[in-house]
């Protein structure tokens, strides 16, 4: 399991010529780092005298960010699993017409499944960005730069997840499926570049 | 050592109310992930028949990206070390005027030292972004999305490092030091948002 690897070992694997882990796992881990930083700001706000009024909200956000972190770490694993399914499908025999057709069906079905992971990752990262905004605004001012790193990490993970959707749909033949997934992704991405820039600027202004 | 922690354990520590690891370590790790993905694209390009003409260039880039990855992982450690120095200085006694003055000097000197780590991190990340562009353009087309994730990770790390510079200089009294470091940072940041966007678009167009 990637999550049980040391950071050093994971980065060695990422850099190697093995196809997994790759950009998909990197995206989910960056998103999980963003979620963890949101949690950190909450943890450093809860119980502090000057922040009593926001304590209930911080507790709610903490529960959400910790759930998102767990979901994103699950995606690190599922990204590798679905990628391996795609590779296995490409490796199927293609000598007879029957084999060719079965192989092609398997590839298409694996690619569709593989598209769902980055879509879910993008959704979770958009949520990390939204939570970052609240902790940057209302959380402990002493760690507002960490809230800023949270949004930047969440946004990088979102953009990476988008690339992982684009690369998969590029090989999918079912046009309806492709346009539905791209529409879903566009809905998630909508306004996120601007929001990221706004939160970054507001954090910078507080430093 | 953070690099020897499992990803799961590191994220638990990041999320906790302990002040380290925080945004500084997260920035350096994101930069190292970007560097590792550049290496991955190089490793999947070197030795491939269709890419013989770019093999010498890919080998050079690989050497650079692996060196940057090592530097960035060193920064994870030094970021925690300099942060601890700053905290130790804040913890010095401040009962007599002499103690107050000695404490203030220690704090200022530790803050200046702590500013150098994110500046070095930003420099390394800008280099990761430049290398990402080359591998996105000339590397193995099958992994161009990984080159795209490399640039996004490098850029997020760069922006995070910038926030870590801003937060430190905010408490530094030596105006010459502050303006010199901000000028240095601005030099590193200059053009990087546009470059990031350009590389992202060119990768997206290839998918």
């Amino acid at each position: 399991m990637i999550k049980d690897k040391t950071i050093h070992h994971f980065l060695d694997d990422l850099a190697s010529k093995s196809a997994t882990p790759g950009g998909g796992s990197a995206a989910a881990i960056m998103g999980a780092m963003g979620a963890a930083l949101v949690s950190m700001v909450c943890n450093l706000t809860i119980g502090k005298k000057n922040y009593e009024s926001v304590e209930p909200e911080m507790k709610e956000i903490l529960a959400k960010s910790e759930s998102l972190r767990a979901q994103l770490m699950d995606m690190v694993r599922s990204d590798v699993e679905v990628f391996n399914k795609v590779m296995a499908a490409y490796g199927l025999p293609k000598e007879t017409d029957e084999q060719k057709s079965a192989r092609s069906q398997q590839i298409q079905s694996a690619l569709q499944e593989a598209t769902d992971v980055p879509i879910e990752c993008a959704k979770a990262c958009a949520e990390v960005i939204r939570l970052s905004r609240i902790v940057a605004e209302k959380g402990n001012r002493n760690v507002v730069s960490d809230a800023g790193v949270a949004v930047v990490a969440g946004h990088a993970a979102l953009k990476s997840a988008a690339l992982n959707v684009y690369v998969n749909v590029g090989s999918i033949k079912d046009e309806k499926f492709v346009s539905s997934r791209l529409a879903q992704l566009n809905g998630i991405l909508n306004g996120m570049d601007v929001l990221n820039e706004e939160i970054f600027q507001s954090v910078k202004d507080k430093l």
Side-chain angles (χ1 to χ4, degrees), chain A:
Chain A
M1 300 275 277
I2 290 177
K3 75 185 176 79
D4 299 320
K5 285 189 179 172
T6 67
I7 292 175
H8 187 80
H9 188 174
F10 167 72
L11 289 170
D12 278 349
D13 287 356
L14 193 61
S16 78
K17 65 174 152 188
S18 157
T20 56
S25 304
I29 290 178
M30 283 193 285
M33 282 169 65
L37 284 162
V38 169
S39 299
M40 175 189 173
V41 178
C42 291
N43 278 320
L44 284 163
T45 305
I46 293 164
K48 293 277 194 277
K49 223 178 167 177
N50 293 334
Y51 296 91
E52 277 169 0
S53 65
V54 295
E55 184 153 326
E57 191 173 3
M58 289 293 139
K59 283 182 175 167
E60 260 180 55
I61 293 174
L62 178 60
K64 284 184 195 165
S65 57
E66 286 299 279
S67 157
L68 287 166
R69 176 157 77 96
Q71 283 172 47
L72 284 157
M73 287 310 291
D74 276 347
M75 288 174 205
V76 175
R77 188 180 40 74
S78 40
D79 182 78
V80 172
E81 283 171 6
V82 293
F83 182 88
N84 289 341
K85 266 195 199 173
V86 173
M87 286 298 107
Y90 274 108
L92 289 173
K94 47 179 178 175
E95 278 159 42
T96 66
D97 282 353
E98 220 167 57
Q99 283 177 341
K100 273 184 202 164
S101 154
R103 176 176 174 270
S104 168
Q105 268 187 351
Q106 286 284 347
I107 292 172
Q108 290 298 311
S109 134
L111 281 170
Q112 290 195 4
E113 203 186 324
T115 306
D116 289 337
V117 180
I119 288 272
E120 287 308 309
C121 181
K123 257 192 225 166
C125 293
E127 197 52 30
V128 168
I129 294 172
R130 282 185 209 100
L131 297 179
S132 307
R133 175 163 65 171
I134 308 173
V135 298
E137 272 173 17
K138 303 182 182 175
N140 189 333
R141 271 292 285 273
N142 293 333
V143 284
V144 69
S145 69
D146 297 288
V149 177
V151 68
V152 165
H155 184 250
L158 172 64
K159 302 289 276 188
S160 300
L163 289 177
N164 294 324
V165 173
Y166 300 139
V167 71
N168 281 335
V169 299
S171 307
I172 294 177
K173 289 173 187 160
D174 179 341
E175 286 177 19
K176 259 194 185 165
F177 178 91
V178 170
S179 59
S180 127
R181 284 301 183 275
L182 287 179
Q184 203 181 350
L185 177 65
N186 285 337
I188 300 167
L189 291 172
N190 189 25
M192 282 296 157
D193 286 355
V194 175
L195 185 57
N196 170 52
E197 197 49 47
E198 276 175 12
I199 305 171
F200 184 86
Q201 276 303 328
S202 85
V203 167
K204 191 182 159 187
D205 292 345
K206 284 184 183 176
L207 294 174

